[in-house]
Amino acid sequence: GYSEEITLGIFSLNLRSHTLRKNEKVFELTQVEFQILEYFFQNPGKALSRTNILDRIWGEEYCGEEKIVDVNIRRLRMKIEEDPSEPKYIKTVWGLGYKWES
């Protein structure tokens, strides 16, 4: 059946409340942050290109900058990483995009 949570390691993404739990800490997410994380959580360890993320979250009709992906990734890192400049979970895949590791 439909699961309300996707759990990866110490993280649990609640699909109903759009929150992320890391151990006992709960993070509020914006709609976009939630959708990006949901995409990562459905594809753990898989490199997702900026284009994939853009199409998935903003839609293929979106004509803006791919930088919007980077901006949101940076915001997510600020929330969930112990050290956002040395991310452990949201890894950069050079020349492509990002992947989730947990």
Side-chain angles (χ1 to χ4, degrees):
Y2 173 76
S3 168
E4 284 188 15
E5 292 204 325
I6 307 174
T7 301
L8 288 178
I10 59 170
F11 289 93
S12 191
L13 186 66
N14 189 302
L15 305 181
R16 180 160 290 182
S17 64
H18 286 195
T19 52
L20 179 72
R21 214 173 64 240
K22 177 185 180 184
N23 294 323
E24 296 310 306
K25 197 168 177 202
V26 175
F27 302 92
E28 297 289 328
L29 302 170
T30 67
Q31 179 66 22
V32 165
E33 289 167 349
F34 169 76
Q35 287 180 305
I36 291 174
L37 277 182
E38 184 182 25
Y39 192 23
F40 279 137
F41 273 50
Q42 288 165 347
N43 298 277
K46 191 171 153 199
L48 303 174
S49 72
R50 286 181 180 82
T51 312
N52 290 148
I53 296 169
L54 261 187
D55 290 353
R56 168 76 180 256
I57 285 85
W58 284 272
E60 290 172 26
E61 309 304 303
Y62 178 78
C63 299
E65 289 279 318
E66 281 195 350
K67 281 196 204 73
I68 193 164
V69 175
D70 302 328
V71 170
N72 279 280
I73 294 286
R74 200 172 310 128
R75 284 197 196 127
L76 276 170
R77 282 174 171 163
M78 298 292 281
K79 284 187 182 178
I80 69 173
E81 299 278 1
E82 284 98 38
D83 179 358
S85 62
E86 291 282 331
K88 282 189 354 200
Y89 309 111
I90 303 174
K91 300 278 201 182
T92 299
V93 181
W94 294 111
L96 181 73
Y98 301 96
K99 70 174 177 176
W100 178 272
E101 288 193 352
S102 62

